[in-house]
Amino acid sequence: MGLVTRRQLIAAGAGLALGSSLLSDQAQGLTIKPRSVWGADLPPKGPLLAEDVKFLIVHHSAGRNGHTAADVPGILRSWYNFHTGPEKGWNDIAYNFVIDSEGGIWEARQGSLDGPVAGDATGGNQGFTQLVCIIGDYNTAQPTQASLSSLVRLLAWLADRYGVSTTPGAEITFVSEGSNRWPAGTSVTTPTITGHRTMSKTTCPGDNLYSYVAGSLRADVEAVRNGGVPSPPSTTSTTTAPTTSTTKAPTTTTTTTTTTTLPSTTTTLPTTTTVPETSTTLPATTTASTTPTTPPPTTVPPSIAPSTTLSVAVEESAIPSGTGPLLVGAGALVALGSGLLIWRRNRLNG
């Protein structure tokens, strides 16, 4: 079915009571649970004024993250008691409509389904608006996709119902009826869909929700009003996080592969075991051990004298102890034999 337009409402005649059954059939697939579902026994504490709607405001409740649809009637009843109690002193629950985490839409302030009822707000109500609140604290949590989808469709219906422009850059100017940000009589210019914080000194509707409200929400609402489908609000922020982490991960891995070159450097260390080969050359100089018993050192060229000295030093350390007297005795026998030969030769000649 098409949207319920302002023209259709006017054609239906003044004083038309727009029931929940009509909304279910005609409001772009919306099903809004009426006030009677949760608060039939909780009437307003005083009169509720009509509103001249010029723009739409998004709130959060600043609490009750993790709730379910089954919790909502109890939540709304507790809000009614708080809002109409001594601390706030309002005549009814502040918001016109409430959205839960599962995307359910609830009529909050009595009469909001029937027509433009003025709401109330912390910090004062500057006027000229309808208030939509998503249950939860969106300074600490992210709104669910279901709640954002319902927000877009509900705002599209409200904008069409009250003739609020949602084209890109659409703004309105009004004279404030009084809030702690815009005192009564102040001329205010605002986007036609905005967050509570632009009208009062508050962090509502929370940073995580407000970034969407101030970003692409109005374009999504306009797309629904024109029969299109809005882009998923939370997809962009969700997909960017993995991309950042994945791009960093490969870079770290390449650093690890550089480290793997270290083992190959270690394998070159065994080639330095050429040191044992130098020690094995020392026995090779043992051939010089014959040098002491061969002709006198005078025949050795001066250039190789140092090496012979080194090898002799090694060879002396290899001579067994106690061989000195044997050498002396052998020398004496040679001298004695020589003497006998000389004596015999002189006898024969004499």
Side-chain angles (χ1 to χ4, degrees), residues 137-168:
D137 183 349
Y138 300 112
N139 278 314
T140 60
Q142 292 290 342
T144 65
Q145 184 63 55
S147 64
L148 293 179
S149 176
S150 291
L151 176 66
V152 170
R153 290 182 297 120
L154 176 60
L155 291 176
W157 173 70
L158 288 171
D160 200 62
R161 187 186 200 191
Y162 297 118
V164 175
S165 173
T166 53
T167 56

Side-chain angles (χ1 to χ4, degrees), residues 16 34 91 102 127 150 169 185 208-209 266 276 287 289 348:
L16 172 65
N91 287 338
E102 297 175 14
S150 291
N208 297 326
L209 178 54
T266 323
T287 52
S289 61
L348 292 173

Side-chain angles (χ1 to χ4, degrees), residues 162-259:
Y162 297 118
V164 175
S165 173
T166 53
T167 56
E171 294 180 331
I172 57 104
T173 300
F174 65 95
V175 176
S176 174
E177 294 176 359
S179 75
N180 60 10
R181 184 177 292 281
W182 306 111
T186 307
S187 179
V188 181
T189 299
T190 181
T192 52
I193 296 177
T194 189
H196 182 199
R197 64 177 63 182
T198 63
M199 294 296 118
S200 299
K201 295 177 181 178
T202 174
T203 62
C204 180
D207 293 343
N208 297 326
L209 178 54
Y210 184 71
S211 61
Y212 175 53
V213 171
S216 60
L217 174 59
R218 196 166 24 163
D220 290 344
V221 170
E222 180 71 6
V224 168
R225 294 182 75 188
N226 292 330
V229 179
S231 55
S234 57
T235 311
T236 316
S237 51
T238 317
T239 39
T240 31
T243 340
T244 335
S245 44
T246 18
T247 41
K248 288 183 183 173
T251 333
T252 325
T253 318
T254 48
T255 322
T256 320
T257 40
T258 341
T259 324

Side-chain angles (χ1 to χ4, degrees), residues 34-121:
R35 165 75 170 240
S36 59
V37 169
W38 65 269
D41 58 336
L42 301 176
K45 297 291 182 79
L48 301 176
L49 303 178
E51 185 63 278
D52 178 16
V53 179
K54 297 181 182 295
F55 68 109
L56 307 170
I57 294 183
V58 178
H59 291 249
H60 74 160
S61 65
R64 297 307 297 262
N65 292 333
H67 67 275
T68 66
D71 300 324
V72 178
I75 292 172
L76 294 178
R77 292 179 73 87
S78 69
W79 288 3
Y80 171 87
N81 292 331
F82 177 60
H83 289 182
T84 60
E87 185 170 339
K88 295 296 185 181
W90 300 325
N91 287 338
D92 198 358
I93 196 167
Y95 315 111
N96 298 104
F97 298 95
V98 166
I99 299 172
D100 64 47
S101 63
E102 297 175 14
I105 304 173
W106 306 71
E107 180 189 25
R109 178 159 281 212
Q110 184 165 295
S112 295
L113 273 176
D114 299 334
V117 179
D120 281 298

